Amino acid sequence: MLVLCAPRSGRYLCRLIYPFQLNTNNTISPLQLLLGYLPPDRSLWSSELAKKRSQYKNFKDDLLTNPSEITRRMYNSNSAALGIDDAKSHTQTRLLLSRSRITHQDHPLSLVKTSIWNQFFQDTEIIDQIDRDVNRTHPDIHFFSGDSLFAKSNQEALKTILIVFAKLNSGIRYFQGMNEVLAPLFYVFKNDPDEENEAFAEADTFFCFVELLSRFQDNFCQQLDNSIVGIRSTITRLSQLLKEHDEELWRHLEVTTKVNPQFYAFRWIILLLTQEFNFADILHIWDVILSDPEGPQETLLRICCAMLILVRRRLLAGDFTSNLKMLQSYPSTNISHLLQVADKLHVQSV
C-alpha cells in the first residue's frame, strides 16, 4: 500500500513529474495514483495498466472509424451469420455495398437520430473546434507547437483524446479550453523516463483526464449551472471565502466597484488556472491541488482566494475597469508565496 502525503507550507512531497518504481524495469507516475487511475495496491498496477491501455485502443477502434467502414463491417458480420460467402457477395463486401443493401438508417443523408452518419456529421463541428483549439495550445512551447514531427504527433494525441472523450461523454462533450486542462497531463506522461509508459502516454493521459474532470464534473455540466452544485454555486463559495478572510476587499470588489466574481473566476475554476500562469507554474500548482486529501475543489478555491488577497492593495485602489482588467489578466507572482498564502487560509479555517 502506498500512502501519498499532502503538501503543506510550500513543501511538495509528491511532484507530478517524479515517477514511482513499479518493478525493476517500470515506473508509474504519481498522477496515476492521485487521480485514481491505479489502485493503491501495487500488486494490481501491471494488470490494471494493461487492461486500461487495451480498453483505450478499443475506444479508438470503435469511435474513430469512418461510418462507411462501420457499415461494411456490419454487412460482413451479417453475411457471415447467414452463411453468405459466394464470390459475388465477397466482391461487393470488399469493394462497395450495393445500394439495395444500405438501409435508410445507414444512408449518409439519413436524419434518423440513431444513424451513424447523422452522428458523424454532428461530431464534425466539435472535431473542428478541437482541431482549432489544439493547434493554439501553448504556442510558445515546442512540445506542443511547431512543424516538427514530435510536436505534430503530440497535437494529434491531444486531438484524439478530446474526440474520444467527447464521444463517450454526451453530457459534457467538449468545451473550449479543455485542451489547456489536458495539456499538462499529457506533458507529464509523454516525458516519462520509462519507454513503455512513454509509448502509452496517450492512453494513460485519457483515463487520468477523465478522472480529473470527474472531480470537478458538476462545474462542467451546463444543466447544473444554477443548482447548488454547479459552477455558479462554486463561484459563490469563492466569494464567501474571500468575505470570510478579507471582508474589506470583498466589499470593495463586489459592493463598491461591483466586480461580479463570475467575470473572472469562471475561467479560473473551469480551466483549473491553466490560463492564469505559465506552464511550469501550473505543474507546481497542480501538485497541491491534486495531492490534497481534502479534495481538489476546496484547494482550488483557496488558491483563487489567495490570488485576490495577494493583489489586494491594487484592487482596493482600483475601480471596476482596472480591477476587472487585472483579474482577467492576472499579474506575474511568486507561486511558492501564493501557495503559502492559500495554505494559511486553510489553517485559519480549521
Side-chain angles (χ1 to χ4, degrees):
M1 182 73 72
L2 181 66
V3 178
L4 301 179
C5 299
R8 281 286 176 260
S9 303
R11 295 190 297 274
Y12 307 97
L13 307 183
C14 178
R15 297 305 303 269
L16 300 183
I17 58 175
Y18 294 164
F20 292 123
Q21 195 72 25
L22 176 58
N23 52 43
T24 55
N25 299 316
N26 301 97
T27 59
I28 67 159
S29 165
L31 271 175
Q32 295 168 321
L33 293 170
L34 293 173
L35 291 172
Y37 173 43
L38 291 179
D41 188 345
R42 282 178 179 264
S43 65
L44 300 175
W45 288 355
S46 293
S47 60
E48 193 67 20
L49 282 173
K51 182 178 73 173
K52 290 292 181 64
R53 289 165 176 175
S54 175
Q55 185 179 11
Y56 180 69
K57 180 180 182 301
N58 292 335
F59 283 157
K60 293 204 297 182
D61 290 342
D62 292 341
L63 299 173
L64 304 182
T65 304
N66 186 288
S68 295
E69 180 61 26
I70 295 176
T71 302
R72 188 173 291 109
R73 289 179 183 177
M74 291 170 60
Y75 174 72
N76 286 343
S77 177
N78 292 337
S79 296
L82 294 173
I84 301 174
D85 57 359
D86 57 80
K88 181 179 179 181
S89 173
H90 177 73
T91 301
Q92 288 179 333
T93 301
R94 185 169 54 86
L95 299 176
L96 295 174
L97 296 178
S98 63
R99 294 180 63 181
S100 62
R101 297 185 182 277
I102 300 177
T103 66
H104 175 67
Q105 181 168 315
D106 295 330
H107 195 282
L109 299 182
S110 173
L111 298 179
V112 178
K113 289 184 178 181
T114 56
S115 166
I116 55 176
W117 280 101
N118 189 21
Q119 187 62 55
F120 174 78
F121 290 124
Q122 288 183 26
D123 291 340
T124 299
E125 184 177 349
I126 292 177
I127 292 173
D128 288 344
Q129 180 66 60
I130 289 173
D131 187 70
R132 289 193 297 271
D133 289 349
V134 167
N135 289 337
R136 292 194 293 256
T137 302
H138 296 291
D140 56 328
I141 300 178
H142 293 305
F143 180 90
F144 297 106
S145 182
D147 296 326
S148 69
L149 292 177
F150 180 65
K152 293 296 184 184
S153 68
N154 291 338
Q155 288 181 343
E156 285 303 313
L158 293 179
K159 292 174 187 177
T160 301
I161 292 170
L162 292 170
I163 292 170
V164 171
F165 178 88
K167 286 176 172 285
L168 288 174
N169 295 272
S170 57
I172 299 176
R173 301 282 278 173
Y174 174 81
F175 59 81
Q176 194 167 12
M178 265 191 179
N179 56 303
E180 301 291 347
V181 178
L182 176 63
L185 297 178
F186 183 68
Y187 177 85
V188 169
F189 285 117
K190 193 65 177 176
N191 282 285
D192 194 299
D194 182 89
E195 291 185 2
E196 181 180 358
N197 290 341
E198 188 271 340
F200 287 101
E202 185 181 316
D204 293 343
T205 300
F206 169 78
F207 283 104
C208 284
F209 181 64
V210 172
E211 294 290 347
L212 176 62
L213 292 195
S214 71
R215 283 155 171 72
F216 300 92
Q217 61 183 350
D218 293 340
N219 293 335
F220 305 128
C221 187
Q222 190 173 6
Q223 292 87 340
L224 297 176
D225 280 357
N226 296 312
S227 72
I228 60 173
V229 295
I231 182 60
R232 289 190 174 89
S233 176
T234 302
I235 293 174
T236 298
R237 284 160 54 199
L238 171 60
S239 174
Q240 294 169 344
L241 191 63
L242 178 62
K243 184 178 181 181
E244 175 187 344
H245 292 283
D246 194 333
E247 185 170 355
E248 180 186 9
L249 178 57
W250 169 85
R251 189 172 300 279
H252 180 75
L253 278 177
E254 298 193 26
V255 179
T256 304
T257 61
K258 301 187 184 307
V259 176
N260 189 319
Q262 290 190 31
F263 296 160
Y264 59 88
F266 183 90
R267 187 178 73 181
W268 290 8
I269 295 169
I270 286 289
L271 300 186
L272 307 182
L273 299 175
T274 55
Q275 295 287 283
E276 318 314 317
F277 303 100
N278 66 44
F279 194 74
D281 288 341
I282 288 302
L283 294 179
H284 200 169
I285 290 170
W286 279 22
D287 272 339
V288 176
I289 292 176
L290 299 182
S291 59
D292 196 319
E294 295 185 8
Q297 182 93 281
E298 296 306 314
T299 309
L300 174 62
L301 292 181
R302 285 195 297 271
I303 293 174
C304 290
C305 185
M307 289 169 63
L308 296 169
I309 292 174
L310 280 186
V311 293
R312 74 183 307 273
R313 288 186 180 179
R314 294 172 62 179
L315 290 173
L316 289 173
D319 56 13
F320 173 86
T321 303
S322 62
N323 285 344
L324 185 59
K325 182 178 179 180
M326 179 170 60
L327 295 177
Q328 290 183 338
S329 183
Y330 194 80
S332 177
T333 191
N334 184 301
I335 297 301
S336 294
H337 180 52
L338 169 65
L339 296 175
Q340 288 174 351
V341 172
D343 187 61
K344 288 180 180 178
L345 296 181
H346 174 258
V347 173
Q348 292 170 6
S349 298
V350 174

Coordinates of all heavy atoms in Angstrom, one line a residue, residues 213-255:
L213 N -11.5 15.4 -14.6 CA -12.7 16.1 -14.8 C -13.8 15.6 -13.9 O -14.7 16.4 -13.6 CB -13.1 16.0 -16.3 CG -12.2 16.7 -17.3 CD1 -12.9 16.8 -18.7 CD2 -11.8 18.1 -16.9
S214 N -13.8 14.3 -13.6 CA -14.8 13.8 -12.7 C -14.8 14.5 -11.3 O -15.9 14.5 -10.7 CB -14.7 12.3 -12.6 OG -13.5 12.0 -11.8
R215 N -13.7 15.0 -10.9 CA -13.6 15.6 -9.6 C -14.2 17.0 -9.7 O -14.4 17.6 -8.6 CB -12.1 15.7 -9.2 CG -11.6 14.3 -8.6 CD -10.1 14.2 -8.7 NE -9.7 13.0 -8.0 CZ -9.9 11.7 -8.4 NH1 -10.5 11.5 -9.5 NH2 -9.4 10.7 -7.7
F216 N -14.4 17.5 -10.9 CA -15.0 18.9 -11.0 C -16.2 18.8 -11.9 O -16.6 19.8 -12.5 CB -14.0 19.8 -11.6 CG -12.7 20.0 -10.8 CD1 -11.6 19.2 -11.0 CD2 -12.6 21.0 -9.8 CE1 -10.4 19.4 -10.3 CE2 -11.5 21.1 -9.0 CZ -10.4 20.4 -9.3
Q217 N -16.8 17.6 -12.1 CA -17.8 17.4 -13.1 C -19.0 18.3 -13.0 O -19.6 18.7 -14.0 CB -18.2 15.9 -13.2 CG -18.9 15.5 -11.9 CD -19.2 14.0 -11.9 OE1 -19.1 13.3 -13.0 NE2 -19.6 13.4 -10.8
D218 N -19.4 18.6 -11.8 CA -20.6 19.5 -11.7 C -20.4 20.9 -12.2 O -21.3 21.5 -12.7 CB -21.0 19.6 -10.2 CG -21.5 18.3 -9.6 OD1 -21.9 17.4 -10.4 OD2 -21.5 18.1 -8.4
N219 N -19.1 21.3 -12.3 CA -18.8 22.6 -12.8 C -18.9 22.6 -14.3 O -19.2 23.7 -15.0 CB -17.4 23.1 -12.5 CG -17.2 23.3 -11.0 OD1 -18.2 23.7 -10.3 ND2 -16.0 23.2 -10.5
F220 N -18.8 21.5 -15.0 CA -18.8 21.4 -16.4 C -20.2 21.1 -17.0 O -20.3 21.2 -18.2 CB -17.8 20.3 -16.9 CG -16.4 20.5 -16.4 CD1 -15.8 19.5 -15.7 CD2 -15.8 21.7 -16.5 CE1 -14.5 19.6 -15.3 CE2 -14.5 21.9 -16.0 CZ -13.8 20.8 -15.4
C221 N -21.1 20.6 -16.2 CA -22.4 20.3 -16.7 C -23.3 21.5 -16.7 O -23.7 22.0 -15.7 CB -23.0 19.2 -15.8 SG -24.5 18.5 -16.4
Q222 N -23.7 21.9 -17.9 CA -24.5 23.1 -18.1 C -25.8 23.0 -17.4 O -26.3 24.0 -16.9 CB -24.6 23.4 -19.6 CG -25.2 24.8 -19.9 CD -25.2 25.1 -21.4 OE1 -24.9 24.3 -22.2 NE2 -25.6 26.3 -21.7
Q223 N -26.4 21.8 -17.4 CA -27.7 21.7 -16.8 C -27.7 22.0 -15.3 O -28.7 22.2 -14.7 CB -28.2 20.3 -17.0 CG -28.6 20.0 -18.5 CD -27.4 19.5 -19.3 OE1 -26.2 19.7 -18.9 NE2 -27.6 18.8 -20.4
L224 N -26.5 21.9 -14.7 CA -26.4 22.1 -13.3 C -25.9 23.5 -12.9 O -25.6 23.8 -11.7 CB -25.4 21.1 -12.7 CG -25.8 19.6 -12.8 CD1 -24.6 18.8 -12.2 CD2 -27.1 19.4 -12.0
D225 N -25.7 24.4 -13.9 CA -25.2 25.7 -13.7 C -25.8 26.5 -12.5 O -25.2 27.2 -11.7 CB -25.3 26.6 -14.9 CG -24.1 26.3 -15.9 OD1 -23.3 25.4 -15.6 OD2 -24.1 26.8 -17.0
N226 N -27.2 26.4 -12.4 CA -27.9 27.2 -11.4 C -28.3 26.3 -10.2 O -29.0 26.8 -9.4 CB -29.2 27.7 -12.1 CG -28.9 28.7 -13.2 OD1 -28.0 29.6 -13.0 ND2 -29.5 28.6 -14.3
S227 N -27.7 25.1 -10.1 CA -28.0 24.3 -9.0 C -27.1 24.5 -7.8 O -26.1 25.3 -7.9 CB -27.9 22.8 -9.4 OG -26.6 22.4 -9.6
I228 N -27.3 23.9 -6.7 CA -26.4 24.1 -5.5 C -25.0 23.4 -5.7 O -24.2 23.6 -4.8 CB -27.1 23.5 -4.3 CG1 -27.3 22.0 -4.4 CG2 -28.4 24.3 -4.0 CD1 -27.8 21.4 -3.1
V229 N -24.8 22.7 -6.8 CA -23.5 22.1 -7.0 C -22.9 22.6 -8.3 O -21.7 22.1 -8.6 CB -23.6 20.5 -7.0 CG1 -24.1 20.0 -5.7 CG2 -24.6 20.1 -8.1
G230 N -23.5 23.4 -9.0 CA -23.0 23.9 -10.3 C -21.9 25.0 -10.2 O -21.5 25.4 -9.1
I231 N -21.5 25.5 -11.3 CA -20.4 26.4 -11.4 C -20.7 27.7 -10.7 O -19.9 28.3 -10.0 CB -19.9 26.7 -12.8 CG1 -18.8 27.7 -12.9 CG2 -21.1 27.2 -13.7 CD1 -17.5 27.2 -12.2
R232 N -22.0 28.2 -10.8 CA -22.4 29.4 -10.1 C -22.3 29.3 -8.6 O -21.9 30.2 -7.9 CB -23.7 29.9 -10.6 CG -23.8 30.4 -12.0 CD -25.1 31.1 -12.4 NE -25.0 31.7 -13.7 CZ -25.3 31.0 -14.8 NH1 -25.7 29.8 -14.8 NH2 -25.3 31.6 -16.0
S233 N -22.7 28.1 -8.1 CA -22.6 27.8 -6.7 C -21.1 27.8 -6.2 O -20.8 28.3 -5.2 CB -23.3 26.5 -6.4 OG -23.1 26.2 -5.0
T234 N -20.3 27.2 -7.1 CA -18.8 27.2 -6.7 C -18.2 28.6 -6.7 O -17.5 28.9 -5.8 CB -18.1 26.3 -7.8 OG1 -18.7 25.0 -7.9 CG2 -16.6 26.2 -7.5
I235 N -18.6 29.4 -7.6 CA -18.1 30.8 -7.6 C -18.7 31.6 -6.4 O -17.9 32.4 -5.8 CB -18.6 31.5 -8.9 CG1 -17.8 30.9 -10.1 CG2 -18.3 33.0 -8.8 CD1 -18.3 31.5 -11.4
T236 N -19.9 31.3 -6.0 CA -20.4 31.9 -4.7 C -19.6 31.5 -3.5 O -19.4 32.3 -2.6 CB -21.9 31.5 -4.6 OG1 -22.7 32.0 -5.7 CG2 -22.5 32.0 -3.2
R237 N -19.2 30.2 -3.5 CA -18.3 29.8 -2.4 C -17.0 30.5 -2.3 O -16.5 30.8 -1.3 CB -18.1 28.2 -2.5 CG -19.4 27.4 -2.1 CD -19.3 26.0 -2.6 NE -18.1 25.3 -2.3 CZ -17.7 24.2 -2.9 NH1 -18.4 23.8 -4.0 NH2 -16.6 23.6 -2.6
L238 N -16.5 30.8 -3.5 CA -15.2 31.6 -3.6 C -15.5 33.0 -3.0 O -14.7 33.5 -2.2 CB -14.7 31.7 -5.0 CG -13.6 32.7 -5.2 CD1 -12.3 32.3 -4.4 CD2 -13.2 32.7 -6.7
S239 N -16.6 33.6 -3.4 CA -17.0 34.9 -2.8 C -17.1 34.9 -1.3 O -16.6 35.8 -0.6 CB -18.3 35.4 -3.5 OG -18.7 36.6 -2.9
Q240 N -17.7 33.8 -0.8 CA -17.9 33.7 0.7 C -16.6 33.5 1.4 O -16.3 34.0 2.5 CB -18.8 32.5 1.0 CG -20.3 32.8 0.5 CD -21.1 31.5 0.5 OE1 -20.6 30.4 0.6 NE2 -22.4 31.7 0.5
L241 N -15.7 32.7 0.7 CA -14.4 32.5 1.3 C -13.6 33.8 1.4 O -12.9 34.1 2.4 CB -13.6 31.5 0.4 CG -12.3 30.9 0.9 CD1 -12.6 30.1 2.2 CD2 -11.6 30.0 -0.1
L242 N -13.7 34.6 0.3 CA -13.0 35.9 0.4 C -13.6 36.8 1.5 O -12.9 37.5 2.2 CB -13.1 36.6 -1.0 CG -12.5 38.0 -1.1 CD1 -11.0 38.0 -0.8 CD2 -12.8 38.7 -2.4
K243 N -14.9 36.8 1.6 CA -15.6 37.6 2.6 C -15.1 37.2 4.0 O -14.9 38.0 4.9 CB -17.1 37.5 2.5 CG -17.9 38.4 3.5 CD -19.4 38.2 3.2 CE -20.1 39.1 4.2 NZ -21.6 39.0 4.0
E244 N -15.0 35.9 4.2 CA -14.5 35.3 5.5 C -13.1 35.8 5.9 O -12.9 36.1 7.0 CB -14.6 33.8 5.4 CG -14.1 33.1 6.7 CD -14.0 31.6 6.5 OE1 -14.7 31.1 5.6 OE2 -13.3 30.9 7.3
H245 N -12.2 35.8 4.9 CA -10.8 36.1 5.2 C -10.4 37.6 5.0 O -9.4 38.0 5.5 CB -9.9 35.2 4.4 CG -10.0 33.7 4.8 ND1 -9.4 33.2 5.9 CD2 -10.7 32.7 4.2 CE1 -9.7 31.9 6.0 NE2 -10.5 31.6 5.0
D246 N -11.2 38.3 4.1 CA -10.8 39.7 3.9 C -12.1 40.4 3.5 O -12.3 40.7 2.3 CB -9.8 39.8 2.8 CG -9.1 41.2 2.7 OD1 -9.8 42.1 3.1 OD2 -7.9 41.2 2.2
E247 N -12.9 40.8 4.5 CA -14.2 41.4 4.2 C -14.0 42.7 3.5 O -14.9 43.1 2.7 CB -15.0 41.5 5.5 CG -16.4 42.0 5.2 CD -17.3 41.9 6.4 OE1 -16.9 41.4 7.4 OE2 -18.5 42.4 6.3
E248 N -13.0 43.5 3.9 CA -12.8 44.8 3.2 C -12.6 44.6 1.7 O -13.2 45.4 0.9 CB -11.6 45.5 3.9 CG -11.3 46.9 3.3 CD -10.0 47.5 3.8 OE1 -9.2 46.8 4.5 OE2 -9.8 48.7 3.5
L249 N -11.8 43.7 1.3 CA -11.5 43.5 -0.1 C -12.8 43.0 -0.8 O -13.1 43.4 -1.9 CB -10.4 42.5 -0.3 CG -10.0 42.1 -1.7 CD1 -9.7 43.4 -2.5 CD2 -8.9 41.1 -1.7
W250 N -13.5 42.1 -0.1 CA -14.7 41.5 -0.7 C -15.7 42.7 -0.9 O -16.3 42.8 -2.0 CB -15.3 40.5 0.3 CG -16.7 40.1 -0.1 CD1 -17.1 39.2 -1.0 CD2 -17.9 40.7 0.4 NE1 -18.5 39.1 -1.1 CE2 -19.0 40.0 -0.3 CE3 -18.2 41.7 1.3 CZ2 -20.3 40.3 0.0 CZ3 -19.6 42.0 1.6 CH2 -20.6 41.3 0.9
R251 N -15.9 43.6 0.1 CA -16.8 44.6 -0.1 C -16.5 45.6 -1.2 O -17.3 46.1 -1.9 CB -17.0 45.4 1.3 CG -18.1 46.4 1.3 CD -18.3 46.9 2.7 NE -18.6 45.8 3.7 CZ -19.8 45.3 3.8 NH1 -20.8 45.8 3.1 NH2 -20.0 44.4 4.7
H252 N -15.2 45.9 -1.3 CA -14.7 46.8 -2.3 C -15.0 46.2 -3.7 O -15.5 47.0 -4.6 CB -13.2 47.2 -2.2 CG -12.7 48.1 -3.2 ND1 -13.0 49.5 -3.2 CD2 -12.0 47.9 -4.3 CE1 -12.5 50.1 -4.2 NE2 -11.8 49.2 -4.9
L253 N -14.7 45.0 -3.9 CA -14.8 44.3 -5.2 C -16.3 44.2 -5.6 O -16.7 44.6 -6.7 CB -14.2 43.0 -5.2 CG -12.7 42.9 -5.4 CD1 -12.2 41.5 -5.3 CD2 -12.3 43.5 -6.8
E254 N -17.1 43.6 -4.7 CA -18.4 43.2 -5.1 C -19.5 44.3 -4.7 O -20.6 44.3 -5.4 CB -18.8 41.9 -4.4 CG -17.9 40.8 -4.8 CD -18.4 39.4 -4.4 OE1 -19.6 39.2 -4.3 OE2 -17.5 38.5 -4.3
V255 N -19.3 45.1 -3.8 CA -20.3 46.1 -3.5 C -19.9 47.5 -4.0 O -20.7 48.1 -4.7 CB -20.4 46.2 -1.9 CG1 -21.5 47.3 -1.6 CG2 -20.8 44.9 -1.3

